[in-house]
Amino acid sequence: MGEYGVTPGQRVAIVWDNTSPVEALKDLVNKVQSLVGADNSVSVENVNQLLLSAHKESSFDVILSGMVPGSTAQHSMELLAEVARILKPGGRVLLKEPVVTESGNNSKIKTAAKLLTTLTLSGLVEVKELQKEALTPEEAQSVGEHLDYQGNDLLIVQIEGRKPNFEVGSSTQLKLSFAKTPGRSGKPSLDPAAAKLWTLSANDMNDDDMDLLDSDELLDSEDLKKPDPSSLRAPSCKEMGKKKACKNCTCGLAEELEQEKKSSQPKSACGNCYLGDAFRCASCPYLGMPAFKPGEKILLPENQLHDA
């Protein structure tokens, strides 16, 4: 395999950013072109335009990003997801990116561990760090100016990753056999050693070395007392301070309230209801009934009960 892992006949894309020196970019393109052969073109894309380039999926065997000397390209999750999309199954990406040794308040620059995680989450596999090197004072100053970073812990890390040997969203039929093997039941066989371990025999129970706990010793005098029946009864709605019966009342309050409703008598507004119809109001519930003695209990049908 040639330099950058490129071999003749492969389709290669080079991703560069605006900080890449033009001459260094040309040198990299010419070097890669010589590796793939004159019959295969090398695609060159700006890191800010890759998402807009509309490449077909599975277009490239190798993608080199940030590999131009002097590049300060930052690889976002969206950018790496696009790289994974346009790579062929089994394709390879090789990238360089400035990183910091420890994560701080600067959100633009990732740590090496964070960059590795980002590649993995974008859909790449076999992600690994190939090398990490310190920057010269001049390179650190240039990177710091472009990324607005004032720290002195900048490094350049080179990472490799591959696209899985299948296309994103692809599917295949699973070949599952549910046929039973002749002579075997559906239950899994038991390990004889395991079964013996959890089995007690009569000899085991008579073993003098085995101490068995008497179950009666687990109960004290309080456990043997017969409970008071009243303590087992659930509290009634009245005892709980409720004026209305529960939806599924079982304490008898619902029946009691229903009986009170049936036996209740409407109050007279005029006090003359017992004298007869000649002395009753037009809305009197006793209209049509004979006179009765004051205080006498009169049962009215439910459909006749209304406010007097």
Side-chain angles (χ1 to χ4, degrees):
M1 183 178 292
E3 190 175 3
Y4 304 114
V6 177
T7 58
Q10 288 185 325
R11 290 201 62 193
V12 181
I14 297 177
V15 181
W16 61 283
D17 68 317
N18 296 332
T19 63
S20 305
V22 177
E23 293 301 322
L25 174 60
K26 291 181 179 180
D27 291 342
L28 178 60
V29 172
N30 293 334
K31 185 180 294 185
V32 174
Q33 186 68 69
S34 65
L35 294 173
V36 299
D39 296 335
N40 298 277
S41 61
V42 177
S43 179
V44 181
E45 293 288 350
N46 184 276
V47 68
N48 297 320
Q49 299 298 319
L50 182 62
L51 294 173
L52 305 176
S53 58
H55 286 291
K56 294 182 179 180
E57 60 184 24
S58 304
S59 298
F60 300 99
D61 299 287
V62 180
I63 295 179
L64 306 177
S65 181
M67 297 299 295
V68 181
S71 172
T72 61
Q74 297 291 296
H75 299 84
S76 64
M77 179 76 75
E78 293 77 13
L79 176 65
L80 292 173
E82 178 65 12
V83 168
R85 187 187 70 84
I86 63 179
L87 268 177
K88 294 180 179 179
R92 179 170 170 269
V93 58
L94 189 65
L95 63 85
K96 278 187 176 182
E97 181 174 326
V99 297
V100 292
T101 56
E102 295 182 2
S103 59
N105 296 328
N106 192 306
S107 59
K108 293 183 179 180
I109 307 179
K110 299 181 282 291
T111 62
K114 178 68 174 179
L115 181 56
L116 290 168
T117 301
T118 305
L119 267 78
T120 302
L121 294 177
S122 66
L124 299 172
V125 297
E126 300 180 24
V127 177
K128 57 184 177 181
E129 180 182 311
L130 298 181
Q131 67 180 31
K132 185 187 295 181
E133 56 186 16
L135 299 176
T136 64
E138 293 77 12
E139 291 174 335
Q141 181 179 359
S142 176
V143 172
E145 291 176 355
H146 286 105
L147 299 179
D148 190 24
Y149 184 72
Q150 305 299 325
N152 56 359
D153 58 342
L154 285 170
L155 301 171
I156 286 289
V157 64
Q158 182 172 323
I159 297 178
E160 178 188 50
R162 294 183 182 275
K163 183 174 181 176
N165 290 321
F166 53 84
E167 191 55 74
V168 176
S170 60
S171 61
T172 185
Q173 184 177 2
L174 296 177
K175 297 180 180 179
L176 301 176
S177 176
F178 296 97
K180 294 184 178 179
T181 304
R184 295 183 62 184
S185 62
K187 297 182 179 180
S189 60
L190 296 176
D191 184 1
K196 183 178 180 181
L197 179 64
W198 294 100
T199 302
L200 288 176
S201 66
N203 294 331
D204 294 328
M205 301 300 292
N206 295 328
D207 192 348
D208 295 336
D209 296 333
M210 179 175 290
D211 294 331
L212 297 179
L213 184 63
D214 187 358
S215 59
D216 291 337
E217 295 180 359
L218 300 177
L219 302 175
D220 54 26
S221 57
E222 293 295 327
D223 296 324
L224 299 176
K225 290 182 179 180
K226 186 177 180 179
D228 184 3
S230 61
S231 65
L232 303 178
R233 183 178 60 83
S236 64
C237 298
K238 285 186 176 180
E239 293 173 344
M240 297 179 64
K242 294 184 178 180
K243 296 182 179 179
K244 293 184 179 180
C246 301
K247 183 178 181 181
N248 299 317
C249 180
T250 59
C251 69
L253 180 60
E255 291 81 358
E256 183 180 341
L257 295 177
E258 183 67 22
Q259 187 64 30
E260 290 180 358
K261 180 179 178 181
K262 291 182 178 180
S263 61
S264 63
Q265 297 294 315
K267 294 182 180 180
S268 174
C270 61
N272 298 325
C273 301
Y274 69 95
L275 297 176
D277 285 349
F279 301 90
R280 293 169 180 163
C281 305
S283 59
C284 183
Y286 296 102
L287 282 176
M289 298 183 66
F292 54 89
K293 297 179 180 180
E296 183 179 358
K297 187 175 182 180
I298 305 298
L299 296 180
L300 298 176
E302 289 189 10
N303 57 3
Q304 193 174 347
L305 294 176
H306 54 79
D307 294 336

